[in-house]
Amino acid sequence: AQSVTQLGSHVSVSEGALVLLRCNYSSSVPPYLFWYVQYPNQGLQLLLKYTTGATLVKGINGFEAEFKKSETSFHLTKPSAHMSDAAEYFCAVIGGGSYIPTFGRGTSLIVHP
Amino acid sequence: EAGVTQSPTHLIKTRGQQATLRCSPISGHTSVYWYQQALGLGLQFLLWYDEGEERNRGNFPPRFSGRQFPNYSSELNVNALELEDSALYLCASSTGQAANYGYTFGSGTRLTVV
């Protein structure tokens, strides 16, 4: 069975500050990992994904994430937060023989002026 | 290219009634997935349809059911509605196995049970 833990249901940063959203997973086999973003009253949009290859993955809107197998982590970062980044962010994992992604509970990113 | 479309956007039902939610996948996508997003619970997997067949089911009671049509569109039916069924229901589609491609989500149907 696979699981995803997102530390912190809410993360608050100032505009221009570093964004760090944490995601740890458990999977019995090398996983596929995803980050999605959900803006208010919208569905989820794929930010980035790791399947194989380079462990540092770049996504849209300046976000990137690094797959660290030893730490079973896939944290999402952005060097400088913008007001438009305020949204809900979900980490998801596919692994353990299942083709169905398991999602974390989400982290709400709040950006202060 | 049209994205994943869901209808209706909002639905209000009375406890005990039935609700029908609809999803049209992206053209060329054969798999449709349904998720329930209840407040504070993240996304809970409901159902996966591929090529007209139910491939997997999440941990939900049988009153949650659905089907996929020959054009790959899908319906989610919720019978005997309960207050706790109030949630955002999201549909996603993919081609092939989601692992390699990721999902494309619709904007969801907000179901409110009163």
Side-chain angles (χ1 to χ4, degrees):
Chain A
Q2 57 202 22
S3 66
V4 178
T5 302
Q6 291 185 239
L7 292 176
S9 58
H10 294 82
V11 170
S12 182
V13 300
S14 298
E15 192 173 20
L18 172 72
V19 175
L20 171 61
L21 304 183
R22 299 178 186 275
C23 173
N24 289 87
Y25 68 90
S26 68
S27 175
S28 58
V29 296
Y32 296 125
L33 296 158
F34 306 83
W35 275 100
Y36 287 85
V37 60
Q38 185 179 33
Y39 298 102
N41 300 313
Q42 294 186 26
L44 276 68
Q45 179 183 3
L46 182 65
L47 265 180
L48 50 79
K49 61 185 176 186
Y50 169 79
T51 53
T52 60
T55 56
L56 181 62
V57 181
K58 296 187 183 298
I60 61 173
N61 301 337
F63 284 94
E64 63 182 35
E66 186 171 11
F67 168 54
K68 292 187 176 181
K69 184 178 178 180
S70 61
E71 299 177 8
T72 61
S73 69
F74 191 57
H75 301 330
L76 182 70
T77 61
K78 181 174 181 178
S80 176
H82 293 264
M83 296 296 291
S84 59
D85 294 327
E88 190 86 12
Y89 291 80
F90 292 90
C91 181
V93 61
I94 295 177
S98 171
Y99 298 121
I100 305 299
T102 297
F103 284 83
R105 291 199 170 193
T107 298
S108 178
L109 177 64
I110 302 162
V111 183
H112 297 286
Chain B
E1 177 185 84
V4 177
T5 57
Q6 292 188 244
S7 63
T9 54
H10 293 85
L11 189 58
I12 300 176
K13 292 286 187 179
T14 303
R15 190 172 50 183
Q17 286 187 315
Q18 178 195 41
T20 298
L21 289 64
R22 296 180 176 82
C23 172
S24 293
I26 288 175
S27 177
H29 285 191
T30 60
S31 283
V32 170
Y33 310 79
W34 287 95
Y35 283 83
Q36 182 194 67
Q37 186 179 17
L39 195 61
L41 295 180
L43 274 74
Q44 305 295 315
F45 167 69
L46 271 165
L47 291 159
W48 169 26
Y49 291 96
D50 182 62
E51 298 283 0
E53 300 286 333
E54 182 180 303
R55 301 297 186 184
N56 206 334
R57 181 183 182 86
N59 188 26
F60 280 84
R63 58 191 186 82
F64 287 84
S65 65
R67 55 180 171 167
Q68 186 178 33
F69 299 99
N71 66 354
Y72 303 115
S73 66
S74 177
E75 260 182 15
L76 174 68
N77 294 295
V78 188
N79 294 320
L81 285 165
E82 300 178 1
L83 296 178
E84 52 265 36
D85 296 333
S86 295
L88 181 67
Y89 289 83
L90 292 168
C91 172
S93 73
S94 74
T95 178
Q97 296 168 6
N100 292 326
Y101 301 99
Y103 284 170
T104 301
F105 280 88
S107 296
T109 293
R110 173 76 61 186
L111 174 63
T112 302
V113 182
V114 297

